[in-house]
Amino acid sequence: MPANNHSIFDPVTFILTGFPGTEESNFWLATPFCLMYIASLLGNSLLLFIILTEQSLHEPMYLFLSMLAAADLLLSTTTVPKMLDLFWFRAGEISFDACLTQMFFVHVSFIAESAILLAMAFDRYVAICNPLRYTTLLTKPVIGKIGLAVLTRSFCLIFPAIFLVKRLKFCRTNLLPHTYCQHKALSRLACSDITLNELHGIVTALLAFGLDVALIAVSYMLILRAVFLLPSKDARLKALRTCGSHVSVILMFYIPSFFTSFANQLGHIIPGSILNLLGNLHLLIPPMLNPIIYGVTTQEILRRVIKLFYLCCSRNFLLN
């Protein structure tokens, strides 16, 4: 039950409310979310399997792509099962500790994905602007250190948020108007001073997304300059094609992020159900489309997907 508006309480559970005002259609809304989640699981798992089992794909670009697939799997698996539980079975209760855990992994996944996109931009920069040093600069030990740095930065930026939320006193309600737990939403339910929480959110956004976007923009400015200095049109087109899938994934990740953030600032104008829908689509669409984009545009991966599909069909035919 919601807590009394005037009494301070230690929340044992929060209640996720989903999309306020759309309770009657929640069951049907969950169906496309479930299909997108299944597509994300299958696509990213297949991508990871192909990259890890094919020795010829153990190159920097594909190793970074495997990191991106792992981050997508973590992001969607952290949020969607509870979302479907809420929509299909009206089971919106989530314990305070479970809410903090979900919040931690959601934000860690977002920050890690942003850092991986930056690493992929650096990979394209070296491949195009300094191709002779590509194999010496991006060795497997270096890629391993980059992966460790991605995890370390994500952990260090988000870990303080757990203690910032745990110190808060809640006296308004335990109804959380979302389908998953996030730092800003939890903080807004508190009756304590949340200045530190808001400051942490601003610093995290600047050190993670702001810095990453700036460095990615610089990388592509240098890439474009190098591309336009190439002598032939065919060479320029070939160089640009190698960046096409990465640019698509970058736009698909950052544009919804900034749009959702901007929409949240207009929360008094835009209905809460629309804001929640945007937030959920941001969780589901990039993990679902990333493996499709790379699978279709990258010939090496596409060939191995077709080969794997052919082998599976042949085996089933022989067994039958």
Side-chain angles (χ1 to χ4, degrees), residues 258-272:
F258 289 125
F259 183 75
T260 302
S261 177
F262 178 73
N264 281 321
Q265 302 304 315
L266 302 175
H268 59 288
I269 300 174
I270 302 175

Side-chain angles (χ1 to χ4, degrees), residues 102-154:
Q102 187 187 54
M103 177 197 77
F104 175 78
F105 282 109
V106 167
H107 291 300
V108 162
S109 302
F110 269 117
I111 293 175
E113 190 156 341
S114 179
I116 293 166
L117 291 175
L118 173 59
M120 295 172 81
F122 177 68
D123 168 77
R124 292 299 85 203
Y125 163 75
V126 175
I128 293 174
C129 299
N130 206 345
L132 297 179
R133 298 187 61 194
Y134 183 73
T135 55
T136 57
L137 286 176
L138 289 173
T139 61
K140 288 183 180 178
V142 170
I143 294 170
K145 290 177 183 177
I146 292 174
L148 181 60
V150 167
L151 290 176
T152 302
R153 187 187 75 156
S154 302

Side-chain angles (χ1 to χ4, degrees), residues 58-317:
H58 290 183
E59 298 177 3
M61 183 179 75
Y62 300 109
L63 293 176
F64 287 132
L65 182 54
S66 68
M67 295 181 194
L68 186 67
D72 283 337
L73 283 173
L74 177 62
L75 176 62
S76 54
T77 302
T78 300
T79 55
V80 179
K82 183 60 184 176
M83 183 195 309
L84 297 179
D85 197 27
L86 165 65
F87 286 157
W88 280 340
F89 306 107
R90 301 185 183 275
E93 297 85 0
I94 183 170
S95 71
F96 184 54
D97 290 335
C99 195
L100 289 179
T101 302
Q102 187 187 54
M103 177 197 77
F104 175 78
F105 282 109
V106 167
H107 291 300
V108 162
S109 302
F110 269 117
I111 293 175
E113 190 156 341
S114 179
I116 293 166
L117 291 175
L118 173 59
M120 295 172 81
F122 177 68
D123 168 77
R124 292 299 85 203
Y125 163 75
V126 175
I128 293 174
C129 299
N130 206 345
L132 297 179
R133 298 187 61 194
Y134 183 73
T135 55
T136 57
L137 286 176
L138 289 173
T139 61
K140 288 183 180 178
V142 170
I143 294 170
K145 290 177 183 177
I146 292 174
L148 181 60
V150 167
L151 290 176
T152 302
R153 187 187 75 156
S154 302
F155 178 85
C156 291
L157 285 176
I158 294 304
F159 191 65
I162 295 177
F163 298 98
L164 289 175
V165 172
K166 287 181 73 71
R167 73 179 177 86
L168 297 176
K169 297 296 183 182
F170 295 87
C171 63
R172 296 192 179 103
T173 179
N174 61 348
L175 296 177
L176 193 60
H178 290 278
T179 59
Y180 61 94
C181 297
Q182 52 175 278
H183 183 207
K184 182 184 291 187
L186 282 171
S187 300
R188 287 178 174 176
L189 293 184
C191 55
S192 307
D193 182 11
I194 61 171
T195 302
L196 284 177
N197 298 72
E198 292 178 341
L199 181 61
H200 174 268
I202 294 171
V203 170
T204 299
L206 291 175
L207 291 180
F209 302 106
L211 181 62
D212 291 348
V213 168
L215 292 175
I216 289 172
V218 170
S219 296
Y220 271 96
M221 286 171 58
L222 296 173
I223 288 171
L224 288 174
R225 187 183 69 174
V227 166
F228 288 118
L229 290 176
L230 293 174
S232 68
K233 181 179 179 180
D234 289 340
R236 290 195 291 269
L237 290 175
K238 182 178 179 181
L240 289 173
R241 275 197 296 268
T242 64
C243 301
S245 54
H246 182 236
V247 171
S248 300
V249 170
I250 286 174
L251 295 176
M252 192 169 55
F253 179 79
Y254 286 112
I255 289 178
S257 296
F258 289 125
F259 183 75
T260 302
S261 177
F262 178 73
N264 281 321
Q265 302 304 315
L266 302 175
H268 59 288
I269 300 174
I270 302 175
S273 57
I274 300 298
L275 293 176
N276 287 352
L277 179 61
L278 291 174
N280 281 279
L281 291 177
H282 184 211
L283 289 176
L284 288 165
I285 291 179
M288 177 186 68
L289 293 183
N290 287 348
I292 296 174
I293 290 172
Y294 275 99
V296 171
T297 60
T298 308
Q299 291 184 358
E300 291 82 357
I301 293 176
L302 182 59
R303 281 199 297 265
R304 282 158 180 81
V305 170
I306 294 172
K307 178 183 175 182
L308 186 63
F309 181 75
Y310 175 77
L311 289 174
C312 290
C313 291
S314 300
R315 183 174 298 177
N316 290 335
F317 178 77

Side-chain angles (χ1 to χ4, degrees), residues 33-45 287-289 291-292:
F33 289 160
C34 181
L35 294 176
M36 286 189 282
Y37 177 53
I38 293 172
S40 173
L41 285 181
L42 293 177
N44 286 291
S45 298
M288 177 186 68
L289 293 183
I292 296 174

Side-chain angles (χ1 to χ4, degrees), residues 7-19:
S7 61
I8 294 177
F9 67 99
D10 292 322
V12 177
T13 62
F14 284 103
I15 301 175
L16 299 168
T17 60
F19 301 158

